[in-house]
Amino acid sequence: MTSERLAPLDLAFWHLESAGHPMHLGALAFFSAPDEDSGLDDDGILDLLATRAAAIRRLRMRVRDVLLPVGGAAWAADKDFDVRRHVRRLRLGGGPDFAAEATAIAGELMERPLERGLPPWEMYLLTGSPGGSFAVLVKLHHALADGMRAVAIGAGIFDEIADPRGVRTRRAGPAPDRAWFADPARLLGFARDRIDDLGRAVGVGASVVRASRFDPRGLPSLSAGSSGTRRLATAVLDLEEVQLVRKAVGGTSNDVLIAIVAGGLRRWLTERGDELPPSGPRALVPVSRRRPGSPPGSGNKLSAYLLELPVAEADPRARLEAVRVAMNRNKAAGPMKGAGALAVLADQLHPLAHRFGAPLAGGAARMLFDVLVTSVPLPRSALSFGGCPLREIYPMAPLARGQSLAVALTTYGGQVHVGLVADGLAVPDVGRLAWGVGEELSQLTGLAR
C-alpha cells in the first residue's frame, strides 16, 4: 500500500479533532501474568508488542495533504517509521489493585492527542509487579478506523491472529482515467451521478436538520463545558444474565444493553440529585454500514440511530420496552434518517467542506445528542498475547465537543465489558455511573427470573 485517499468520513474525523477534543478510539486490555516457564519478562513483552505492531502494515501509514481534490488528504507510507515512537511502557506502582491504577492512567493517556505528523496510533504496555499481570492500552485515530476496522487492526497483536511477516494489504488501484471529459457519454454519466449524490445529500441533510434540537444546552449533567480532561471507568456484565433478560422481555441483546445504560444513567442522576428530564437524554447509537460477512476494508462505514433514553421511567421493564420500540422504529426508517445520518451526509461532501466545516459540525454535536452508546464486536474465540490469556478488554470512544460521556460495550469470554469515557471535570463521579450500570442489570435479571 503506497497511497490511498482518505474517505470523506475519515477526512471529517481528521478535521474534527482539536487539542481539547482528540478523535481517537481506544481499548484497554488486561492479560494474565506470564507463565513462569515462558521466560517472558516485561522487556520481552514490550519487544513482542513492538514486533507485532510493526508487522501491521496499516499502522505504518500517515496522513498527508494532496493537491487534488483540493482540501483532500491521503494515507501514505511513513518512510521514517519507527515503531518505538508509538509503543511505550509505563511501570505502575505495583499495588494490590493494579486494574484500578491502570484504568486511571489509561484515562489520562486518552487525553493526549496523537501526533499528526506520524501514523496516528499509540500503544502503551502498563506493568505492575515484575512477572505479574499487565495491561495494554491501544489508541487509534478515528480517521484510521471505525469500530470493526479498529478490531481488525488491533487484533494483529494477538497470538491467534498475528503474522510476523506482516499482513497482506490491497495494492493501490490504477491511476484514475482522466480522459473521461473527452467522452460526452461518460461526462453525462458523471454529471448524473453527481446530481444523484447531491439529491441524497439534500435528503439526508434535511433529515439531520429535522432531528436537531435548537436548544443547544441538552442535558446539563452531560453537556457541561469541556475541560479536555478524561476519566475512564469500567463495568463487567454477565452475558448469560443479559440473554436471560432478552429471552424474558424480548428485543435484542443490544436493546437490553442500551436499556441497562439508561437505567444506570437514571440511578446516577438520582444519586446526584439532578432533575430527571421528561424525555431524554438523547443517545447516538452508531451502526455499521458494512455488509454482513464482508471484509473490514479501509475507511469508516458508519451511520447511527438516535433515540431518547427513558431515564424518567421508573419501571425497568418499561424502560426496556421503550428502548425496544424506539430501536425498531429506527431500524424501520433505516440509516439514512435522523441525526445519526450525519455520518452518511459526510460521505457526500467535498473535502473542502470537511476542512473548513468540521469545527462548526463539532460544535453542533450537543444539538444532536447527549451521550454516545456504541457496541464494538470482538472475535468470539479466546485470545492471548505471548501465551498470556486475555482476561478483560474495555473499548473507549472519543468525546465530541460539548459532550461529557461516551459509553462503549464489547462482549468477550461470556462477559460484556463496558468502557465509560467522561470529561474529568464535568463527570468526576463516572465510577458511580459504572456502578449504576451493574445494579441495573441485577434488577432486570431479578425481574426476569
Side-chain angles (χ1 to χ4, degrees), residues 216-226 366 369-370 402-405 426:
R217 293 172 296 176
L219 186 66
S221 297
L222 297 178
S223 58
S226 175
R366 67 173 61 187
F369 64 98
D370 299 297
Q403 307 291 305
S404 299
L405 178 69

Side-chain angles (χ1 to χ4, degrees), residues 243-255:
Q243 298 290 9
L244 175 66
V245 174
R246 178 188 64 79
K247 292 176 182 177
V249 182
T252 67
S253 296
N254 200 46
D255 294 341

Side-chain angles (χ1 to χ4, degrees), residues 239-414:
L239 183 58
E240 285 190 5
E241 293 184 355
V242 172
Q243 298 290 9
L244 175 66
V245 174
R246 178 188 64 79
K247 292 176 182 177
V249 182
T252 67
S253 296
N254 200 46
D255 294 341
V256 175
L257 293 174
I258 294 172
I260 288 171
V261 172
L265 282 168
R266 175 184 169 84
R267 293 169 187 272
W268 175 69
L269 291 168
T270 301
E271 187 178 80
R272 276 185 155 206
D274 291 353
E275 181 180 355
L276 297 176
S279 62
R282 276 185 165 189
L284 193 73
V285 183
V287 292
S288 174
R289 291 192 289 128
R290 302 184 191 277
R291 294 181 179 179
S294 64
S298 60
N300 284 272
K301 298 290 184 181
L302 291 173
S303 183
Y305 295 139
L306 187 75
L307 74 156
E308 307 278 350
L309 296 178
V311 299
E313 174 56 62
D315 182 358
R317 292 176 70 106
R319 281 198 295 272
L320 176 51
E321 176 63 15
V323 168
R324 186 183 68 81
V325 170
M327 287 299 289
N328 285 345
R329 186 184 308 118
N330 276 321
K331 292 171 186 175
M336 304 293 283
K337 302 292 184 181
L342 188 64
V344 180
L345 179 62
D347 276 340
Q348 311 295 328
L349 298 179
H350 190 277
L352 276 176
H354 294 303
R355 185 175 291 270
F356 296 111
L360 295 175
R366 67 173 61 187
M367 296 178 64
L368 301 176
F369 64 98
D370 299 297
V371 58
L372 178 75
V373 182
T374 182
S375 293
V376 181
L378 272 185
R380 295 185 180 182
S381 58
L383 299 171
S384 62
F385 177 78
C388 305
L390 173 65
R391 298 200 323 262
E392 298 171 356
I393 181 166
Y394 298 97
M396 290 170 278
L399 292 180
R401 189 177 296 117
Q403 307 291 305
S404 299
L405 178 69
V407 183
L409 311 98
T410 196
T411 300
Y412 176 76

